[in-house]
Amino acid sequence: MKKYLMVILLIFSVFVNANVKMPLLFSDGMVLQRDKQIPIWGFADADEKIEVHFNKQIQKTTADKNGKWTLNLKSEKAGGPFELIVIGKNKITIKNILVGEVWICSGQSNMEFQVFKTMNAEKEIADSNYPMIRHFGVAQDLSGKPKDDLKAGKWETATKETVGNFTAVGYYFARKLYSELKIPIGIINTSWGGTNVETWTSREAFQNSPDFKAMIADVPTLNVDSISKLYARQMKERVERIQGTPVSTENENVFKDLTFNDTNWGELHTPSLWENQPLGDLDGVVWMRKTITLSADDIKNKAILSLSKIDDEDITYVNGIEVGKSIQYDLKRVYEIPINILKEGKNVIAVRIVDNSGGGGIYGEASDLKLTLGSKNIPLDGKWKFKVIVVKTSLSPNSYPSLLYNAMVNPLVPFAIQGVLWYQGEANVWRAKEYKKSFPLLIQDWRNKFKQGNFPFYFVQLSTFDEFGGNSQKGSRWAELREAQSETLKLPNTGMAVTTDIGNAKDIHPTNKQDIGLRLAAIAMNNIYGKKQVYSGPVYKSQEIKGNQIILTFDNIGSGLSTPNNDELKGFEIAGADKVFHSAKAIIKDNKVIVSSDKVQNPAAVHYGWADDDTQINLFNKEKFPASQFRTDNWEMITAGEKYKVSK
């Protein structure tokens, strides 16, 4: 009897362990890259013989001692549908495969931003029957070590039932490419809102970088559970150092009260996400309080409390009484305060905020943070008191470097691609100068990992967003980040879509993703697909000082410099050696821009669009591509001393 049982168990173990398995990326409806060697890989038993069939090709290999195998098919022309057959001790057939152009789409929320949220979404979705456009959505996941496969994901064909959840930038890019090339287009969407560039970069890249190797040496290589415990302890200790009091829910019930003394609490600039302030990448529960003084006449009027937006959840109190609550992170909070709650003299607004992941806190437009009393508005922006009472123990993507590379990029390597589209940077504005190193590092890292040469890497320059009210006078983190993106164009085979004219200063997620997709496609059509055309706006080249004027020259002027409707040039500032910038007069002459101001007789430098909110700038070429913001000086900027640090 024992002998029979052993035989049965042996047979069962063979069937359990023998099956060849393919990564999730290799599944029905997939798109393979044309005109390139096609890597195929998977998992099997150690030393298992593998045979792959695809469109008249047959290739063979043997799994290594760990059961991993890989082989390369010869390049194929665009076409399909085909089948991919993989034979080991079992047989897998992957159907409905197309061969065409494959692009990875990655970054943070503006790449994650779906078609159904874009302008004219209903019309766009209704007209989305494109069987040759396929989208692979990578499931969000993180890992302390590089993973071999994705958590989840599937290929979907563009139809009105599916396209609403596609990456909007990627879809509009793919749609334009398809209209020009008439071949299959595949987009692989691996993105996560609120994430920094460091989480998308591999550990090896940091280890080999003189600028980051000291940082990565302090980061443990552990599984997610171990990292989570370490992160929770380190985050709690860090928050306690910042706020000067313990992280604890003790006496929380009195934090809403008028009589509570919050003088020993820390302060946060509001409105602004915690991630953009010393509190950093915190998920948890935080109380915020604001004390105001009102007159007897003030409290006679109807009172409306506006708290801009709160990420994620809030319960809001005035003088200890609840006046409103919401769980929608992007909803403007507008609460009516019942009569007899406000008092003459001291009043306290207390907000209990729960941040589950990503950005956290009160954010948005400063003008939306106010107490309205009849016709009178009392601004509530500025410093608010805060106390963290709970630190979430779960990891977020920004908790440590490389977490998203490990889980959402490494499993894609070495899939054959044409290039990468990238839309990210908002989470790095506090370290904008360092982004001049960290962003190129990511690009080189991905190119090294995929081993497909300097493949095209096209990115979107940050649009206008008035997060801090930054400008030339007090400095602008957003302008500095845009400058870092512009300087990344020094890397070979890169391209940048400028979006100064299609953003929204009050919304970090502009809904016009159509034009962004078109601008990225224009770069690709010119650089890759043989349609030579103007594909970008004017780029600052040099300055010449003549008396009280500075004359600017540009590259990429197309058929000439212009402004919409021949309007007066806006957005130029000029400064002397004192580094004080003044609004300047600017005119176009002989395809150069002449800048001057009566207040600056001996000019030294020009700024163009140097602000968080650069909505007003209007220098274009006649092909209607906008010029990127720039500065002609090399004076030290406000993010110069900010470095990426891992919580300890």
Side-chain angles (χ1 to χ4, degrees):
M1 185 67 185
K2 288 182 179 179
K3 189 180 294 184
Y4 287 132
L5 188 58
M6 288 178 66
V7 171
I8 291 170
L9 288 174
L10 180 61
I11 293 172
F12 178 74
S13 67
V14 168
F15 280 108
V16 168
N17 295 323
N19 284 349
V20 65
K21 181 175 177 287
M22 297 298 290
L24 287 171
L25 191 56
F26 290 87
S27 53
D28 292 349
M30 70 185 299
V31 181
L32 295 173
Q33 176 61 40
R34 66 169 177 163
D35 299 337
K36 277 188 179 183
Q37 185 173 265
I38 304 171
I40 307 291
W41 72 94
F43 316 100
D45 280 350
D47 301 319
E48 185 172 346
K49 303 296 183 183
I50 305 296
E51 186 172 291
V52 174
H53 297 238
F54 183 78
N55 190 28
K56 301 179 182 179
Q57 293 194 54
I58 300 176
Q59 299 278 0
K60 298 179 181 181
T61 191
T62 302
D64 66 18
K65 63 181 181 181
N66 297 313
K68 295 181 181 179
W69 59 268
T70 184
L71 56 79
N72 293 308
L73 296 175
K74 295 177 182 178
S75 63
E76 295 274 356
K77 298 298 182 184
F82 303 111
E83 288 186 350
L84 178 70
I85 299 172
V86 181
I87 303 170
K89 294 176 182 175
N90 62 306
K91 178 180 177 180
I92 295 175
T93 301
I94 301 172
K95 302 176 181 179
N96 189 22
I97 298 173
L98 301 179
V99 177
E101 293 294 281
V102 179
W103 288 80
I104 291 177
C105 304
S106 189
Q108 54 183 109
S109 54
N110 272 306
M111 183 60 82
E112 185 181 14
F113 198 90
Q114 301 106 313
V115 171
F116 80 87
K117 297 178 181 178
T118 61
M119 66 179 192
N120 304 321
E122 190 172 326
K123 180 177 180 296
E124 298 284 14
I125 291 171
D127 182 26
S128 61
N129 184 31
Y130 291 96
M132 293 294 176
I133 297 177
R134 310 279 177 88
H135 175 279
F136 186 88
V138 174
Q140 293 180 342
D141 188 22
L142 44 80
S143 175
K145 298 178 182 179
K147 296 181 71 172
D148 290 328
D149 203 1
L150 301 167
K151 177 181 177 182
K154 63 178 179 178
W155 286 95
E156 293 182 304
T157 300
T159 68
K160 63 182 180 181
E161 289 77 28
T162 62
V163 81
N165 285 317
F166 286 13
T167 162
V169 168
Y171 169 69
Y172 293 127
F173 170 85
R175 189 175 69 180
K176 178 61 176 175
L177 256 56
Y178 177 73
S179 73
E180 297 281 350
L181 304 175
K182 301 301 183 187
I183 63 172
I185 309 293
I187 48 177
I188 300 171
N189 175 19
T190 180
S191 54
W192 193 325
T195 53
N196 59 38
V197 73
E198 292 85 2
T199 193
W200 292 102
T201 307
S202 77
R203 184 182 187 92
E204 289 78 13
F206 291 125
Q207 288 173 331
N208 294 325
S209 166
D211 300 301
F212 295 98
K213 63 182 180 182
M215 174 276 294
I216 201 66
D218 292 332
V219 179
T221 303
L222 303 168
N223 62 41
V224 169
D225 288 340
S226 298
I227 291 179
S228 293
K229 293 174 183 177
L230 177 64
Y231 172 74
R233 175 177 61 80
Q234 292 179 336
M235 176 59 75
K236 182 173 181 290
E237 292 172 352
R238 187 180 69 82
V239 169
E240 289 178 344
R241 287 197 302 270
I242 292 170
Q243 70 180 16
T245 58
V247 173
S248 170
T249 59
E250 186 178 359
N251 297 323
E252 179 193 4
N253 61 314
V254 300
F255 292 170
K256 64 183 182 296
D257 294 344
L258 176 64
T259 56
F260 177 73
N261 184 356
D262 60 18
T263 54
N264 69 333
W265 284 18
E267 290 184 330
L268 288 173
H269 176 76
T270 309
S272 180
L273 295 173
W274 303 328
E275 280 73 6
N276 296 329
Q277 302 189 64
L279 196 54
D281 181 33
L282 170 77
D283 299 325
V285 182
V286 181
W287 278 90
M288 296 185 68
R289 286 170 54 99
K290 181 79 169 179
T291 300
I292 58 174
T293 301
L294 301 176
S295 69
D297 288 337
D298 288 335
I299 64 176
K300 293 177 183 177
N301 298 297
K302 180 180 179 180
I304 301 294
L305 177 62
S306 301
L307 294 177
S308 196
K309 301 174 186 178
I310 299 179
D311 192 347
D312 291 300
E313 307 171 13
D314 75 291
I315 304 176
T316 297
Y317 303 86
V318 175
N319 294 337
I321 306 298
E322 182 180 325
V323 297
K325 61 183 177 181
S326 176
I327 61 172
Q328 187 174 334
Y329 81 97
D330 58 353
L331 178 71
K332 287 185 179 181
R333 269 55 168 186
V334 180
Y335 301 135
E336 184 173 345
I337 301 175
I339 197 168
N340 296 328
I341 289 182
L342 295 175
K343 306 179 184 304
E344 181 181 1
K346 176 183 173 183
N347 293 262
V348 170
I349 301 161
V351 187
R352 187 183 192 271
I353 301 173
V354 178
D355 177 34
N356 297 309
S357 66
I362 301 172
Y363 74 103
E365 185 73 13
S367 60
D368 290 330
L369 192 59
K370 62 189 176 182
L371 177 63
T372 302
L373 302 167
S375 60
K376 179 180 180 181
N377 287 326
I378 298 177
L380 298 177
D381 60 308
K383 299 296 185 182
W384 282 56
K385 293 286 188 175
F386 82 94
K387 180 176 173 62
V388 181
I389 63 168
V390 175
V391 173
K392 283 187 67 176
T393 57
S394 59
L395 286 176
S396 79
N398 296 336
S399 300
Y400 289 99
S402 308
L403 293 179
L404 296 192
Y405 174 85
N406 291 337
M408 297 176 65
V409 179
N410 194 71
L412 306 178
V413 176
F415 198 74
I417 59 172
Q418 180 60 259
V420 170
L421 305 180
W422 178 261
Y423 197 159
Q424 188 274 339
E426 300 92 337
N428 280 84
V429 293
W430 278 76
R431 302 187 299 277
K433 183 175 181 180
E434 189 179 53
Y435 200 74
K436 294 180 181 181
K437 296 179 179 179
S438 57
F439 183 32
L441 180 66
L442 175 138
I443 296 173
Q444 298 284 32
D445 180 32
W446 287 24
R447 287 173 169 173
N448 291 339
K449 294 292 186 181
F450 278 87
K451 292 182 170 59
Q452 295 172 42
N454 289 333
F455 56 71
F457 199 107
Y458 302 152
F459 50 92
V460 182
Q461 189 179 47
L462 291 191
S463 186
T464 183
F465 181 60
D466 196 16
E467 184 168 13
F468 308 110
N471 54 37
S472 289
Q473 282 66 48
K474 56 184 179 182
S476 170
R477 293 179 174 85
W478 280 70
E480 291 183 33
L481 196 287
R482 295 186 199 109
E483 179 181 73
Q485 292 174 314
S486 293
E487 292 195 13
T488 302
L489 291 171
K490 295 174 183 176
L491 288 183
N493 214 2
T494 53
M496 183 176 75
V498 179
T499 62
T500 53
D501 57 324
I502 52 178
N504 184 341
K506 297 183 179 181
D507 190 346
I508 201 170
H509 302 121
T511 60
N512 181 0
K513 296 295 192 281
Q514 288 90 333
D515 281 327
I516 295 175
L518 289 174
R519 289 177 187 180
L520 290 168
I523 301 171
M525 291 305 302
N526 181 82
N527 292 354
I528 303 170
Y529 302 118
K531 186 176 180 180
K532 295 304 177 183
Q533 59 185 338
V534 176
Y535 60 89
S536 71
V539 176
Y540 166 71
K541 181 180 181 181
S542 63
Q543 73 169 15
E544 178 185 3
I545 300 173
K546 280 192 173 182
N548 68 340
Q549 297 178 334
I550 293 183
I551 302 171
L552 305 173
T553 58
F554 297 84
D555 289 325
N556 294 356
I557 64 171
S559 55
L561 300 179
S562 70
T563 61
N565 305 313
N566 292 316
D567 294 334
E568 179 181 322
L569 275 174
K570 298 176 182 177
F572 285 89
E573 300 170 292
I574 195 166
D578 60 0
K579 303 181 183 180
V580 177
F581 282 87
H582 300 270
S583 181
K585 178 182 178 181
I587 61 171
I588 298 171
K589 184 177 181 181
D590 298 328
N591 282 323
K592 298 181 179 182
V593 175
I594 302 173
V595 185
S596 63
S597 170
D598 292 339
K599 297 179 180 178
V600 182
Q601 294 304 307
N602 296 295
V606 168
H607 279 183
Y608 173 68
W610 201 264
D612 295 4
D613 174 11
D614 59 359
T615 305
Q616 68 166 336
I617 65 177
N618 64 346
L619 177 62
F620 288 70
N621 55 28
K622 291 181 180 178
E623 285 73 19
K624 299 183 179 179
F625 287 100
S628 177
Q629 56 136 80
F630 64 87
R631 61 183 177 126
T632 67
D633 62 86
N634 61 357
W635 299 331
E636 197 67 278
M637 295 284 102
I638 60 174
T639 65
E642 300 295 333
K643 301 292 183 183
Y644 177 70
K645 301 182 183 69
V646 178
S647 299
K648 294 183 180 180

